[in-house]
Every structure is written in C-alpha cells, then in structure tokens.
Amino acid sequence: MKTTDTIPEGVAGDGSEPAPAATTPERAGPRSAPAAEKGEGQVLNVFSHGMLILWAFMVVIPLLWAVMSSFKTDKAIFTEPWSLPDKLHFENWSRAWTEAHMSDYFLNTVMVVGGSLAGTLLLGSMAAYVLARFEFPGNRFIYFLFIGGMSFPVILALVPLFYVLQNMSMLNTLHGLILVYIAYSLPFTVFFLTAFFRTLPSSVAEAAFVDGASHTRTFFQVMLPMAKPGLISVGIFNFLGQWNQYLLPTVLNTDPERKVLSQGLVQLAVSQGYKGDYSGLMAGLVMAMLPVLAAYIIFQRQVVAGLTAGAVK
C-alpha cells in the first residue's frame, strides 16, 4: 500500500531551508497609547505651569508696584504709575515712620504677635503631644472639641469676648489681645501638631523613659526638637494670621496708643482726607509687608518639610 507523506508548511520539498513565514503588521493601538498619554501629560504640564506663571504675576506685580510707589512722589504715582522712581525718596519712609506713628504700631504688633505666637506654640504643642501619645477617657472628645473650634466663626465671638475682657479689666490692653490671639490660634495648632506628633517614632520616647527621663523632660528635650519642622510650619501660618489680623484688635483694642499695624494702616488711609500723601501710605504698607515676606523666605524650606513630613511613613 502506497502512502503519501505530507510536507509541512514552510519546508521545501527538496530539503532546502524553510522559507520565512509571512509576518503580519502589528496593530498600532498598543504602541500609540503611551505616546498619547505622554502627549496628554505634556499638555497638562504646560497648562499647570502657565496657570502658576499667571498666578505669580498676579501676586508679584502689585507687590512690586507698591514698593516702587513707596519711593516716588505723589505726583509721579499718578502721572507715571508704572515707571521706575527718578530717585529713591526715603523721606516717604521717614515720614510714615515718625509722623504717621508707624513705629509705635510696629512695636505694638511685634509685642502682641511675639507673645501670642510663643504662647500658642507652647500650649498647642503640649496639648497636641498629650492627645497624640496618651490614651485616656475623653481623649477623642477633647480632640474634636478643638476641631470644632476651627469651624466657629470669630465674628460670632466678638461680643462675648468684649464683655469677658471688660470684666477681667483687660480691654484695650496688649496682654488681653495676646490671650485672645492664643485662644483664636489654638484649634488649628492642636489639629496640625496632633497629626505631626503621631508620625514621630515612639521608640525614641520609650528609650528616654528607660533611661529615667520624666514625661516633662522627654517632651521638652526629646520630642519637641524632633517636631521642629512642624512647629516652624504652624508657626508661620499663625504668624501670618496674627500679623494681618484686623477684626479682633478693632473691636478689643480701641486705645490709640496700643493700636497694631493693621489698625494703623487703616487710620493712615482715612486720615489722609484731601492731603493725598499716597507715597507715605505706600511706605507704611511696605513696612507692614516686609516682616511677613522675610519670615516666609527665611523659613520656606522648613514650611515645606513640615507640610510633607506626615505624607509618607
């Protein structure tokens, strides 16, 4: 019986090398997907950078204009508002510092903000450390009580605060304003530092306890230095809010000799009337801005480090 052998595909009948199989072109879909994603990422990157540049111009240009106007004359401010000053008129700054009493307002503001900032960081860090590290009945209740203080509008507390300070004989005083600033800033400080203390390693505190350190010594010498980035971050936020505070001192501090910078700037603008001393007003405005800008520029890295410290464990 005769059989016929079938030759497999790709093999020549004469025993030569197999012919290469025909290849079909691959689909372009899977390879074009990364390119499409890359294109979308570039478009999003360009859009985000464009928005950041636009936002930077919106913030920086008014600041630069105020600085330039503080060194101009009143005539140059209106006739050539966007030109550089012909010369630096430092008499605008001296006039605002002496005649407009900006020196007194600046000193009062430094005393109030310095005292309230120190008290806020001390009390806030102590409360946050206890709430973050110790379990006791009422822990969560106290924590959420501080959180609730963040949602309470300060305008609703103006009338009660006025009568409380009046009954305590602290109305129109700097130390009364310091206490109000501390109470106003504590909720956010405790909320921020509680989350920060929870991210710190507990093994360091346990080692301090083993060495015989008390809770007070462990907090001030071990845990508080470790929380330095968080303290700087929340300190900058509180500094900005307290330095620019206007509503609280307007209601609780009406003594002309104890007014702060925000009140002094408003009084300087109102007292101009028809005098038109806009160069002195711009000089006073720049005086009020410089400490805030300097503080943020100096502690910029610490602020970023404190904000991102608890992001990755």
Side-chain angles (χ1 to χ4, degrees):
M1 186 174 187
K2 187 176 181 181
T3 61
T4 304
D5 296 330
T6 59
I7 302 175
E9 295 181 2
V11 179
D14 55 356
S16 59
E17 294 293 331
T23 58
T24 57
E26 297 181 359
R27 295 181 179 178
R31 289 192 176 183
S32 62
E37 293 178 358
K38 184 178 180 181
E40 293 178 358
Q42 291 178 352
V43 172
L44 183 60
N45 193 19
V46 171
F47 178 76
S48 60
H49 280 75
M51 293 299 297
L52 289 176
I53 293 173
L54 179 61
W55 181 262
F57 272 108
M58 293 173 61
V59 173
V60 172
I61 288 178
L63 296 179
L64 294 179
W65 182 81
V67 173
M68 289 192 306
S69 301
S70 66
F71 292 104
K72 291 181 179 181
T73 60
D74 293 333
K75 181 179 179 181
I77 292 177
F78 288 96
T79 57
E80 300 174 353
W82 297 108
S83 64
L84 295 175
D86 53 354
K87 66 175 184 178
L88 300 179
H89 295 273
F90 288 101
E91 63 271 12
N92 300 335
W93 289 62
S94 61
R95 187 171 63 254
W97 187 257
T98 57
E99 296 181 9
H101 305 288
M102 293 299 294
S103 58
D104 299 332
Y105 303 145
F106 193 90
L107 180 61
N108 293 337
T109 305
V110 169
M111 294 174 59
V112 171
V113 175
S116 60
L117 192 61
T120 301
L121 292 180
L122 178 62
L123 299 177
S125 60
M126 294 171 66
Y129 175 74
V130 172
L131 292 174
R133 292 291 179 174
F134 298 95
E135 293 293 338
F136 56 90
N139 182 301
R140 305 306 295 172
F141 174 76
I142 297 175
Y143 175 74
F144 286 113
L145 196 62
F146 279 108
I147 300 300
M150 296 174 56
S151 62
F152 189 80
V154 67
I155 192 172
L156 298 180
L158 290 178
V159 175
L161 282 174
F162 180 87
Y163 285 107
V164 167
L165 293 182
Q166 188 180 42
N167 294 333
M168 298 176 64
S169 300
M170 289 192 296
L171 194 64
N172 298 326
T173 60
L174 295 182
H175 57 276
L177 199 59
I178 289 174
L179 292 179
V180 173
Y181 277 16
I182 292 175
Y184 171 75
S185 305
L186 268 181
F188 173 74
T189 304
V190 173
F191 168 74
F192 187 94
L193 292 180
T194 300
F196 191 87
F197 275 116
R198 287 173 179 168
T199 62
L200 298 180
S202 58
S203 58
V204 181
E206 294 174 357
F209 291 141
V210 171
D211 291 339
S214 62
H215 289 286
T216 304
R217 185 176 180 182
T218 302
F219 171 72
F220 284 103
Q221 295 186 1
V222 178
M223 303 304 295
L224 203 60
M226 293 175 61
K228 182 180 177 181
L231 291 174
I232 293 177
S233 299
V234 75
I236 291 295
F237 289 129
N238 286 327
F239 174 76
L240 296 176
Q242 294 174 3
W243 187 272
N244 298 322
Q245 182 61 241
Y246 175 72
L247 186 60
L248 288 175
T250 300
V251 176
L252 307 176
N253 185 33
T254 58
D255 190 350
E257 296 181 357
R258 295 183 175 86
K259 288 186 176 181
V260 295
L261 266 177
S262 56
Q263 295 175 284
L265 287 175
V266 174
Q267 183 175 351
L268 179 61
V270 173
S271 63
Q272 295 301 314
Y274 295 98
K275 297 179 182 178
D277 189 9
Y278 293 98
S279 57
L281 179 61
M282 290 296 174
L285 179 62
V286 175
M287 290 179 188
M289 291 191 306
L290 284 179
V292 177
L293 294 176
Y296 185 77
I297 291 173
I298 293 173
F299 299 104
Q300 182 179 6
R301 291 185 178 180
Q302 287 83 352
V303 170
V304 176
L307 291 176
T308 59
V312 179
K313 293 186 179 179

